[in-house]
């Protein structure tokens, strides 16, 4: 009995029940040879890959082989009119065009389990386009991460309406890639993860970001935080059955 108790204590110390969960998504992968450095990060880092890019398919395949979860980084129209690149969704597209474009984007990125928006400060505010996006995701049993590029985003409303599993980005890690800027956001990320219990952070494959993460990710464990794949933030929800009655999960 004493031995069993000791074993139980050891297991609890290794896998604390109260551990906070953090998902880090690396966006904008697919254009640069330097993006391959993201594959040197721990496998629980999620890779979000832009569609129809020169290196996107290869990096998605290579990342999957290394154990990374793969997502589609879906270009959506921004308020500033910035060019979207291939595979982008715009407000002048019909329902059929958006759904066809979305399917083509997913076809270009193997192993993608979900999507998050690239830009999208205009499109994510629009009811019909977001409804069409969520209908497509539900049909394919995929999840969505709202990058929250506008406070007026409709992504949560439409996802909840259809029962599409959805998460929201809480922290951008590397808007400032200076050591001081990265350290500031990393501390905010740790603090908010501990407060909330679950958190989604987004970063980019900048050389400065990759170096910083490699040097500092070990600090998460010391703060009682477990780095997880993005889909693991949905807990016991089975994404393969997300179209059943009332399966919605939204992390705000």
């Amino acid at each position: 009995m004493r031995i069993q108790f000791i074993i139980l204590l050891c297991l609890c110390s290794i896998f604390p029940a109260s551990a906070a969960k953090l998902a880090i998504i690396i966006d904008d992968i697919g254009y640069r040879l330097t993006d391959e450095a993201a594959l040197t990060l721990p496998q629980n880092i999620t890779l979000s890959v832009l569609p129809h890019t020169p290196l996107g398919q290869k990096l998605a395949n290579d990342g999957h082989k290394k154990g990374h979860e793969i997502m589609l980084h879906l270009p959506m129209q921004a308020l500033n009119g910035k060019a979207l690149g291939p595979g982008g969704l715009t407000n002048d597209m019909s329902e059929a065009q958006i759904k066809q474009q979305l399917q083509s984007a997913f076809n270009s990125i193997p192993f993608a389990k979900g999507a998050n928006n690239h830009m999208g400060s205009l499109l994510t505010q629009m009811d019909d386009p977001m409804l069409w996006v969520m209908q497509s995701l539900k049909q394919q049993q995929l999840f969505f991460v709202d990058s929250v590029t506008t406070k007026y985003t409709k992504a949560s409303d439409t996802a909840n309406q259809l029962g599409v599993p959805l998460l929201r980005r809480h922290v951008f890690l590397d808007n400032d890639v200076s050591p001081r800027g990265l350290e500031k956001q990393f501390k905010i990320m740790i603090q908010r993860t501990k407060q909330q219990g679950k958190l989604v952070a987004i970063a980019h494959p900048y050389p400065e970001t990759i170096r910083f993460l490699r040097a500092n990710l070990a600090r998460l464990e010391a703060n009682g935080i477990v780095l997880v794949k993005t889909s693991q933030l949905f807990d016991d929800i089975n994404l393969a059955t997300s179209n059943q009655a009332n399966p919605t999960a939204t992390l705000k």
Side-chain angles (χ1 to χ4, degrees), residues 182-206:
L182 288 166
E183 177 63 21
K184 176 185 176 182
Q185 290 303 105
F186 195 79
K187 287 180 176 177
I188 290 173
M189 182 180 71
I190 287 176
Q191 180 183 22
R192 291 192 61 184
T193 304
K194 291 166 72 172
Q195 289 173 344
Q196 297 174 201
K198 298 179 182 180
L199 187 131
V200 177
I202 287 179
H204 302 85
Y206 307 137

Side-chain angles (χ1 to χ4, degrees), residues 30-152:
Y31 276 109
R32 299 161 297 269
L33 288 172
T34 54
D35 292 352
E36 191 168 354
L39 275 64
T40 66
L41 295 171
Q43 65 178 17
N44 276 1
I45 295 282
T46 301
L47 307 180
S48 192
V49 186
L50 289 159
H52 310 297
T53 47
L55 300 172
Q57 192 169 82
K58 178 183 184 301
L59 293 177
N61 275 306
D62 291 348
H64 176 75
K65 289 176 183 177
K66 287 179 174 287
H68 294 278
E69 187 163 82
I70 306 300
M71 291 176 55
L72 168 68
H73 195 35
L74 182 63
M76 292 185 178
Q77 188 173 356
L79 285 165
N80 62 13
K82 187 175 180 181
L84 291 177
L89 306 182
T90 60
N91 69 336
D92 60 352
M93 288 181 170
S94 66
E95 176 180 356
Q97 287 172 321
I98 281 184
K99 290 183 175 180
Q100 182 180 23
Q101 187 85 302
L102 181 59
Q103 185 59 56
S104 176
F106 269 108
N107 289 343
S108 77
I109 303 301
F111 305 109
K113 289 189 174 183
N116 72 315
N117 53 296
H118 172 58
M119 300 190 288
S121 55
L122 173 63
L123 203 78
T124 58
Q125 295 187 49
M126 303 182 67
D127 290 307
D128 284 345
M130 291 310 298
L131 179 63
W132 300 333
V133 167
M134 295 304 170
Q135 287 173 340
S136 295
L137 295 178
K138 181 177 180 178
Q139 184 178 22
Q140 299 179 73
Q141 301 171 345
L142 302 165
F143 64 84
F144 189 78
V145 176
D146 188 353
S147 301
V148 192
T149 55
T150 171
K151 65 180 180 180
Y152 303 111

Side-chain angles (χ1 to χ4, degrees), residues 214-235:
R214 282 203 298 253
N216 289 279
L217 283 174
R219 293 162 58 186
L220 298 178
E221 184 178 358
N223 282 275
I225 296 171
V226 177
L227 182 65
V228 298
K229 293 176 169 62
T230 300
S231 64
Q232 290 179 284
L233 291 183
F234 291 110
D235 291 326

Side-chain angles (χ1 to χ4, degrees), residues 149-216:
T149 55
T150 171
K151 65 180 180 180
Y152 303 111
T153 174
K154 302 288 185 68
S156 292
D157 293 340
T158 49
N160 289 339
Q161 179 182 339
L162 294 172
V164 174
L166 180 137
L167 302 166
R168 292 169 61 92
R169 184 274 310 165
H170 300 99
V171 174
F172 278 123
L173 185 62
D174 55 358
N175 286 340
D176 176 0
V177 296
S178 69
R180 183 176 181 179
L182 288 166
E183 177 63 21
K184 176 185 176 182
Q185 290 303 105
F186 195 79
K187 287 180 176 177
I188 290 173
M189 182 180 71
I190 287 176
Q191 180 183 22
R192 291 192 61 184
T193 304
K194 291 166 72 172
Q195 289 173 344
Q196 297 174 201
K198 298 179 182 180
L199 187 131
V200 177
I202 287 179
H204 302 85
Y206 307 137
E208 298 91 341
T209 301
I210 302 299
R211 286 196 299 269
F212 183 89
L213 287 174
R214 282 203 298 253
N216 289 279

